[in-house]
Amino acid sequence: MPRARIVATGAYVPEKILSNRDLEKMVETTDEWITDRTGIKERHIASSKEACSDLAYNASKEALKTAGLKGKDLDLLIVATVTADMPLPATACILQDRLGAHNAAAFDLNAACSGFLFALATAEAYITTGMYKRVLVAGAEVLSRATDWEDRSTCVLFGDGAGAAILEPAEGEEGIISIKLYSDGSKGDLLEVPGGGSRVPCSAESVKEGLHFIKMKGNETFKFAVKTLEGLVTGMLEENGLRSSDLALLIPHQANLRIIKATAERIGLPLEKVLVNIHKYGNTSAASIPIAMDEAVRGGKIKNGDYVLLEAFGGGLTWASALLKW
Ligand code: ACO
């Protein structure tokens, strides 16, 4: 069975930047608190005309251009998101139409901040079984629309953006070596948007109570992430006979600089080998890994033959890692 490999990436963030100083004028917070506790300095916010599919479209167009492909060349299109344009149709179907990907099946996938890795694993499975040859995977979020701008414990964390990757069967040893996905629904209440679904349908009352906004038990989520990520990463390395020194780059989900640093420290990886861009974008959920990966590729931080490790955790709870040979 051939491996699946990433042949091109793309990314897009909206133009508008919201800085920590701007947030100081909106809620009781400070640039110092946000920087010390999270590493975030600014985040990008979608314009009122931009929805999830618009961000995904811009990132996907860039990936297609880099690959020298057109939308019609795609067999499958997966969008990982928790902030779809609307409940129905799927954002992936809206994207399929805009890209002219008329030969492609399209669906959305929800695994919160781990969404891109869950989508990558799905794409890999379709490619290695031979069902599809060319798959576009996008992680796209407009979290600013699910953010309570009066809640300082969450509104300082999130940003909007999208990233995309195109996968094809590999010809040699390069590609996805292994992907591991995990979920624990018993901890779903750590991170949720309680309203707007079939449990609590959208109503004047649910909106008044702010149930359509993200609620997070930040500290518990933080502890869970730090505890879980070390084992996740070391497990992936051990199973594949590698040490952290064999990695050219770790691309973590960008949720909190303290979480990223703790993981790198615990596995003995110097910070120079960790892609960090949280200061520019905040937590963009499913978009964070593909945005960071695109930055690494375009910045020349990954060369052919390099081992690259991706890891993420998020609502669900969900967590995942992927080992790639570039
Ligand atoms: N400015 C100033 N003070 C604040 C702010 C703010 N923006 N937010 C909270 N505080 C206060 C709190 O009220 C609290 O005050 P108190 O001690 O008087 O009660 C104090 O700061 C400490 O609050 P904690 O929540 O304990 O702070 P913590 O160190 O845990 O940092 C944070 C909070 C940044 C949210 C951290 O817990 C975190 O990053 N958690 C993980 C988030 C995450 O990764 N989520 C998963 C992915 S998201 C997804 O899947 C969509």
Side-chain angles (χ1 to χ4, degrees), residues 23 27-31 33-34 36-40 82 111-114 141 143 151-158 190-192 214 216-223 225 253-259 278 283-286 313-318:
L23 279 162
V27 287
E28 206 184 319
T29 192
T30 58
D31 173 43
W33 191 96
I34 304 169
D36 288 353
R37 293 289 177 138
T38 70
I40 302 167
V82 294
C113 300
S114 315
E141 301 284 11
L143 289 167
D151 174 9
R152 69 174 183 174
S153 71
T154 53
C155 77
V156 301
L157 302 174
F158 302 115
L190 291 189
L191 201 64
E192 60 182 11
I214 296 173
M216 183 169 69
K217 294 178 181 156
N219 201 262
E220 283 173 63
T221 311
F222 184 94
K223 286 180 189 151
H253 166 50
Q254 311 282 314
N256 186 312
L257 185 57
R258 288 186 292 144
I259 298 175
I278 189 168
N283 178 350
T284 57
S285 189
F313 71 96
L317 292 180
T318 55

Side-chain angles (χ1 to χ4, degrees), residues 8-305:
T9 61
Y12 171 80
V13 288
E15 215 175 292
K16 186 184 165 190
I17 291 175
L18 184 72
S19 69
N20 290 350
R21 295 280 179 220
D22 296 329
L23 279 162
E24 284 179 351
K25 295 175 202 136
M26 297 162 64
V27 287
E28 206 184 319
T29 192
T30 58
D31 173 43
E32 290 69 27
W33 191 96
I34 304 169
T35 308
D36 288 353
R37 293 289 177 138
T38 70
I40 302 167
K41 296 298 284 184
E42 56 189 36
R43 66 288 290 145
H44 291 247
I45 303 292
S47 76
S48 60
K49 292 197 177 74
E50 285 179 310
C52 182
S53 66
D54 301 309
L55 274 52
Y57 174 76
N58 288 328
S60 303
K61 280 293 277 185
E62 199 177 287
L64 284 168
K65 191 173 155 206
T66 304
L69 297 170
K70 299 259 181 269
K72 65 175 174 43
D73 301 321
L74 298 171
D75 301 319
L76 176 67
L77 212 149
I78 308 170
V79 176
T81 186
V82 294
T83 48
D85 283 23
M86 55 187 96
L88 187 72
T91 298
C93 292
I94 298 169
L95 180 63
Q96 181 233 27
D97 184 43
R98 281 196 66 191
L99 289 174
H102 308 301
N103 302 314
F107 61 88
D108 289 355
L109 185 153
N110 176 340
C113 300
S114 315
F116 182 77
L117 294 187
F118 275 62
L120 201 66
T122 310
E124 191 224 12
Y126 280 118
I127 288 174
T128 54
T129 55
M131 187 162 167
Y132 294 121
K133 277 211 154 37
R134 203 169 276 140
V135 184
L136 185 142
V137 173
E141 301 284 11
V142 189
L143 289 167
S144 60
R145 302 272 155 72
T147 297
D148 180 349
W149 291 103
E150 291 178 1
D151 174 9
R152 69 174 183 174
S153 71
T154 53
C155 77
V156 301
L157 302 174
F158 302 115
D160 300 336
I166 297 171
L167 288 97
E168 288 179 4
E171 281 157 17
E173 283 299 296
E174 76 281 16
I176 298 170
I177 296 171
S178 175
I179 301 199
K180 299 269 182 183
L181 310 179
Y182 304 89
S183 304
D184 182 356
S186 73
K187 294 187 174 62
D189 66 332
L190 291 189
L191 201 64
E192 60 182 11
V193 177
S198 60
R199 178 72 60 197
V200 182
C202 188
S203 65
E205 193 61 25
S206 76
V207 171
K208 201 168 136 214
E209 287 176 31
L211 300 181
H212 55 300
F213 292 135
I214 296 173
K215 319 276 178 207
M216 183 169 69
K217 294 178 181 156
N219 201 262
E220 283 173 63
T221 311
F222 184 94
K223 286 180 189 151
F224 179 85
V226 172
K227 206 171 75 194
T228 309
L229 291 175
E230 180 191 0
L232 181 73
V233 171
T234 49
M236 179 59 97
L237 290 172
E238 274 167 27
E239 276 176 36
N240 291 283
L242 297 176
R243 285 176 300 187
S244 60
S245 54
D246 294 317
L247 290 178
L249 195 64
L250 173 70
I251 304 182
H253 166 50
Q254 311 282 314
N256 186 312
L257 185 57
R258 288 186 292 144
I259 298 175
I260 295 172
K261 279 186 174 167
T263 308
E265 218 166 83
R266 285 171 179 218
I267 66 162
L269 195 68
L271 215 54
E272 304 85 73
K273 283 192 168 187
V274 185
L275 198 294
V276 177
N277 64 10
I278 189 168
H279 52 290
K280 295 187 283 186
Y281 306 123
N283 178 350
T284 57
S285 189
S288 97
I289 287 187
I291 291 174
M293 192 159 62
D294 186 65
E295 186 173 317
V297 172
R298 288 178 200 277
K301 292 193 171 149
I302 313 177
K303 300 184 304 297
N304 285 349

